[in-house]
Amino acid sequence: MNFLLAIIVIVLVVVIPSIKIVPQAKSYVIERLGSYYQTWGNGLHFKIPFIQKVVKVNTTIQGFAIGYDEKTDTPNESESLMITSDYNFVNVDFFVEYRYSDPVKALYSSEDPRGILQNICKSSIRTVVGSYSVDDVLTTGKNEIQAAIKTMGIERLDQ
């Protein structure tokens, strides 16, 4: 009887943690013996104990600020101060929203995918703002500038 109880306890200790429920807007990347095996979408899944490892990836829309501090709403001039095509200085701030479309690439393609995205966005913003006049940046060209920055950023990310 004690032997049967011990077997049941061991099975419960091993089986229960192996049942995984993947919530909406998340993906789980499964590693088998240390290398990529597959990606789980939302729903109920079972991992093989001691052989498979689950790595959670947030695939919801996330964001970060460029040119200001989100928490205190104070400008960060090292990021925000830019020069326009007519040699005027302007403070520019952006809020970038992103989501990981491929959880495997987010985990294994680089050590800091968010840092790479921030650098690409900063570079794209400086390039585009530098090709417009101060009047366009401050008034009429905002939508066009945002669209150009988005297009340039996506092209650079694809590379």
Side-chain angles (χ1 to χ4, degrees), residues 5-139:
L5 185 61
I7 296 288
I8 290 172
V9 168
I10 290 172
V11 167
L12 288 177
V13 167
V14 171
V15 171
I16 298 243
S18 297
I19 297 172
K20 299 293 180 187
I21 299 173
V22 182
Q24 288 283 70
K26 293 226 185 241
S27 292
Y28 288 4
V29 174
I30 308 306
E31 294 178 347
R32 181 178 280 179
L33 299 174
S35 61
Y36 172 74
Y37 174 63
Q38 71 184 101
T39 304
W40 289 345
N42 61 338
L44 183 65
H45 299 277
F46 182 80
K47 78 173 187 78
I48 301 170
F50 310 113
I51 295 176
Q52 291 180 335
K53 177 184 169 192
V54 175
V55 182
K56 300 175 183 179
V57 178
N58 186 355
T59 55
T60 61
I61 295 175
Q62 302 171 60
F64 57 86
I66 295 177
Y68 67 99
D69 184 0
E70 288 178 74
K71 294 177 181 125
T72 62
D73 203 29
T74 56
N76 179 355
E77 287 200 13
S78 66
E79 290 181 350
S80 68
L81 191 62
M82 299 180 194
I83 191 165
T84 61
S85 65
D86 54 355
Y87 303 107
N88 285 300
F89 290 98
V90 63
N91 280 322
V92 177
D93 57 32
F94 273 84
F95 188 80
V96 179
E97 291 183 334
Y98 67 96
R99 133 184 124 71
Y100 295 122
S101 59
D102 187 347
V104 176
K105 285 184 180 177
L107 285 176
Y108 301 117
S109 291
S110 82
E111 289 183 21
D112 186 16
R114 182 179 165 136
I116 290 171
L117 178 61
Q118 284 177 326
N119 288 336
I120 286 173
C121 289
K122 289 176 187 177
S123 171
S124 299
I125 291 168
R126 289 193 182 283
T127 301
V128 172
V129 168
S131 65
Y132 282 85
S133 69
V134 70
D135 292 332
D136 290 336
V137 171
L138 295 176
T139 58

